[in-house]
């Protein structure tokens, strides 16, 4: 009962949402920065490729070997920036998914807390099975509970099972 009372009283934490929004904004800024670097690297590659024609015509001061090394480095830079952009996009999407998941957890756990007191015994069992991953009853009716990981994450704390003994 105490854990459901705690859930019912728990307000939605705006600092978590604010931090997630800040992380998403940071990822968007990083994406813009990486995109600018990628475009710059692509332009550099195009300039080196344009030098190939001048080199063939004998109008370039760069040797073929030097130009080949410069093109290779520019291609490597383009590939690196493309990989970094893909990673940043995935990180941003993960942040958005986490934000949505936290909202879902909040609604789900609040709903359980509100429903638990008036629920029938069978529904209470279903709620408890979602909230706890393991419940042990030992000698002397010592009760040990293991809270489901998603709920631990929702509460943003590690709950020691001994805290809920005998409840």
């Amino acid at each position: 009962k105490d854990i459901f009372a705690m859930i019912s009283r728990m307000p939605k934490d705006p600092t978590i949402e604010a931090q997630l929004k800040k992380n998403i904004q940071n990822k968007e800024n990083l994406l813009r920065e990486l995109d600018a670097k990628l475009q710059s690297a692509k332009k550099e590659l195009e300039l080196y490729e344009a030098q190939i024609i001048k080199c063939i015509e004998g109008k370039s001061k760069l040797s073929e070997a030097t130009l080949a090394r410069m093109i290779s480095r520019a291609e490597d830079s383009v590939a690196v920036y493309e990989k970094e952009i893909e990673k940043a996009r995935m990180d941003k999407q993960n942040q958005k998914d986490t934000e949505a998941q936290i909202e879902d957890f909040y609604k789900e756990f609040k709903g359980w807390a509100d429903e638990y007191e008036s629920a029938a015994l069978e529904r209470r069992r279903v709620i408890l099975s979602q909230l706890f991953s393991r419940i042990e009853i030992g000698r002397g009716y010592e009760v040990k509970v293991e809270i489901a990981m998603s709920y631990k994450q929702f509460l943003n704390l590690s709950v020691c099972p001994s805290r809920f003994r005998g409840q």
Side-chain angles (χ1 to χ4, degrees):
K1 284 185 175 186
D2 290 344
I3 198 163
F4 290 109
M6 181 178 74
I7 294 170
S8 292
R9 290 189 310 266
M10 187 176 296
K12 191 171 179 182
D13 191 352
T15 58
I16 293 173
E17 286 184 32
Q19 183 62 39
L20 286 170
K21 287 188 188 311
K22 181 179 177 186
N23 289 346
I24 291 169
Q25 184 62 45
N26 288 343
K27 295 296 178 192
E28 288 172 353
N29 292 342
L30 177 62
L31 279 168
R32 280 192 291 278
E33 179 183 322
L34 288 171
D35 189 54
K37 288 180 180 180
L38 175 63
Q39 296 309 316
S40 175
K42 283 182 176 181
K43 285 181 184 176
E44 183 178 336
L45 179 59
E46 287 174 10
L47 289 174
Y48 294 149
E49 289 171 343
Q51 283 293 316
I52 292 174
I53 296 172
K54 290 181 181 179
C55 187
I56 292 171
E57 293 173 346
K59 297 178 183 177
S60 176
K61 295 180 183 178
L62 300 172
S63 70
E64 290 176 25
T66 302
L67 196 51
R69 282 193 306 272
M70 293 170 77
I71 288 173
S72 177
R73 280 191 221 131
E75 289 172 336
D76 290 346
S77 292
V78 167
V80 166
Y81 289 131
E82 286 174 342
K83 285 180 185 177
E84 286 180 14
I85 286 172
E86 184 58 33
K87 182 183 181 310
R89 282 187 180 134
M90 288 175 29
D91 289 347
K92 178 183 167 188
Q93 186 59 47
N94 287 341
Q95 290 291 321
K96 286 184 175 184
D97 293 346
T98 299
E99 183 178 30
Q101 190 176 30
I102 286 174
E103 179 68 27
D104 291 344
F105 280 146
Y106 181 79
K107 288 177 183 175
E108 186 174 35
F109 295 136
K110 287 289 276 188
W112 289 343
D114 295 340
E115 178 184 0
Y116 186 78
E117 283 301 316
S118 62
L121 180 61
E122 197 56 39
R123 180 64 183 145
R124 283 184 178 195
R125 286 183 182 159
V126 171
I127 292 170
L128 291 175
S129 72
Q130 294 295 315
L131 189 59
F132 301 110
S133 60
R134 184 181 184 119
I135 299 174
E136 296 177 5
I137 300 175
R139 292 186 181 170
Y141 298 102
E142 179 180 349
V143 178
K144 294 180 184 178
V145 295
E146 191 173 304
I147 295 176
M149 189 59 179
S150 59
Y151 185 69
K152 283 184 188 178
Q153 291 168 342
F154 175 73
L155 291 177
N156 199 20
L157 54 90
S158 294
V159 178
C160 177
S162 63
R163 179 175 172 193
F164 294 105
R165 281 195 179 125
Q167 294 181 0

